Amino acid sequence: MTGLDELDLESARSGTGQGAADPVKALLHRHRELCERAVDPLEIAAGLEAHGVTDRTAARFKHRDVFSLAEELYARIPRDGDTPRPSAATTAPGPRAGWIVLTLLPGVLALASMAALRLTHGQSRVYAVAAGVLAIALAMRAALRRGSPLGTTPVTSTPPTTGTAAWTCWLIGYALLGDGLLHTAITGGPDGPPTRGPGGPGSLEGDWTLTVAPALALALAFAPGAWSARLFAVRARRKVAASRGLEDFADSVRPLLFGALALFLCALAALFTLCATALDEPFTHHEVLTLGALLFLARLLTLHGFTHAPKVILTAAALAQAAALATVFAARLPGCGALATPVEALVTAWDPSGVATLICGAAALTLLIHAARTLTRASAHAQPEAPPQGDPA
């Protein structure tokens, strides 16, 4: 039994008068603020679970599960008026034109940037690329802060940033430059700036390759990712209403999580295939899909209030990629040649993209295991309280 379970039972046993004979009343007193704020019993059940109350604890209060206990707590709270408040599981807002546009904007700007890269030359190309990167970054920032399915809203407690922006930029930057730099470093380079691709349109002089297709595909996949996240959130809230126990809820939500991830990865795979074909770049699906899964799961966990694990895993993945590059360059120092042996062996057995695939794949798998444990809790899907009338949303 958890410490919180023991506290709830102790408060029930140590009550005086009617509280001692009625343990539910003691529990109601302990969680009165939660019960008064709740819009329906489902929100109380989620709150109780967040405080450590389990189905086993509910049985000690003469209830078969936490949902049944929450229904009694909800019924005991006096409320003004006879009209029931709408259920959090059935009041999810429908798609809005504003966030639909926001989710599409990064992909549209990425396509425009690619067109500018092909149509410009010399100094004007540098300005076009810089403007494109800035525009895409601002579009991503707006989408992640203005209430899109992958973004926070003013009524949630999740901060707009969680310290992962720099590491996310590194991971995407590695997808652009890392494989080419790693390959060139193993062969003794680099001796110049990166090219757009071997013989590709508008190539600059240089000896290592910049691959644009992964970043372009990820930008285009922002919209499918947003829709997958929304689908998961809406269906999970409906499962809260239909479930009769915490284990039942977890068993029903887990396939939704895997389905949302699979839906996003299918869309990302299709978009990357189109981008790689159009740009005549290597089909490194394994690298792009593992990176996409890592970023999607990290954002999904962050949206539901679990910010620590995404921050730690993204940081570890970025540092591992940096370490792989560093060992290759450090191996050029006298007596340090063995440092690069693991990386060189992996590149020889697979290709340069194998390093990023292995790192991002392990990180994504770790987050998936964590998400399967945390996002299947009822408390992870409690509907945020609506803002007061007149507050900006």
Side-chain angles (χ1 to χ4, degrees), residues 3-356:
L4 286 172
D5 291 348
E6 293 172 353
L7 285 174
D8 286 324
L9 291 176
E10 182 63 27
S11 64
R13 291 167 181 165
S14 61
T16 60
Q18 185 180 357
D22 185 4
V24 176
K25 183 176 181 180
L27 184 66
L28 176 61
H29 177 73
R30 179 175 177 81
H31 299 287
R32 189 173 190 86
E33 183 179 353
L34 166 66
C35 297
E36 289 177 342
R37 188 178 66 246
V39 299
D40 60 13
L42 305 176
E43 189 172 339
I44 296 178
L48 291 176
E49 186 201 30
H51 284 86
V53 179
T54 64
D55 288 338
R56 182 179 176 183
T57 311
R60 298 175 183 268
F61 289 97
K62 310 302 182 184
H63 283 272
R64 65 182 179 273
D65 51 46
V66 173
F67 291 103
S68 175
L69 177 60
E71 288 172 355
E72 180 175 348
L73 292 174
Y74 183 80
R76 289 196 181 198
I77 291 292
R79 303 179 186 278
D80 297 332
D82 297 327
T83 303
R85 298 173 71 180
S87 168
T90 58
T91 56
R96 294 181 299 172
W99 67 253
I100 291 176
V101 172
L102 283 176
T103 58
L104 293 172
L105 192 57
V108 172
L109 291 175
L111 289 174
S113 299
M114 275 304 307
L117 182 63
R118 285 173 171 266
L119 296 175
T120 55
H121 302 277
Q123 193 70 20
S124 60
R125 169 172 295 161
V126 176
Y127 295 144
V129 171
V133 170
L134 179 61
I136 295 170
L138 291 176
M140 289 280 191
R141 179 179 176 86
L144 294 177
R145 298 190 64 177
R146 298 295 180 181
S148 75
L150 287 178
T152 57
T153 66
V155 299
T156 61
S157 59
T158 304
T161 59
T162 57
T164 60
W167 304 118
T168 300
C169 290
W170 168 274
L171 292 170
I172 296 175
Y174 188 95
L176 283 166
L177 296 165
D179 292 346
L181 178 59
L182 181 62
H183 173 73
T184 304
I186 291 176
T187 57
D191 299 319
T195 67
R196 231 286 285 135
S203 294
L204 301 174
E205 294 297 328
D207 67 344
W208 49 292
T209 304
L210 181 149
T211 53
V212 181
L216 179 60
L218 287 170
L220 291 171
F222 190 92
W227 281 96
S228 298
R230 173 179 166 77
L231 179 65
F232 172 69
V234 171
R235 293 292 180 87
R237 292 192 193 108
R238 291 177 182 173
K239 292 294 184 181
V240 173
S243 301
R244 295 309 310 166
L246 298 178
E247 292 185 3
D248 181 29
F249 174 76
D251 291 339
S252 62
V253 170
R254 197 169 288 111
L256 292 179
L257 173 63
F258 297 149
L261 177 61
L263 183 63
F264 168 71
L265 292 181
C266 287
L268 177 59
L271 290 169
F272 177 69
T273 300
L274 292 174
C275 293
T277 301
L279 298 174
D280 192 23
E281 292 185 357
F283 289 89
T284 54
H285 285 85
H286 42 274
E287 180 181 5
V288 175
L289 292 181
T290 52
L291 175 58
L294 174 60
L295 297 179
F296 179 78
L297 290 169
R299 191 61 193 173
L300 202 60
L301 283 163
T302 299
L303 291 177
H304 288 83
F306 304 100
T307 60
H308 179 68
K311 182 177 181 179
V312 171
I313 296 301
L314 288 177
T315 302
L319 291 178
Q321 289 182 343
L325 285 171
T327 57
V328 175
F329 287 105
R332 299 178 181 180
L333 297 174
C336 298
L339 291 177
T341 301
V343 175
E344 291 176 351
L346 180 59
V347 171
T348 301
W350 198 343
D351 58 46
S353 66
V355 173

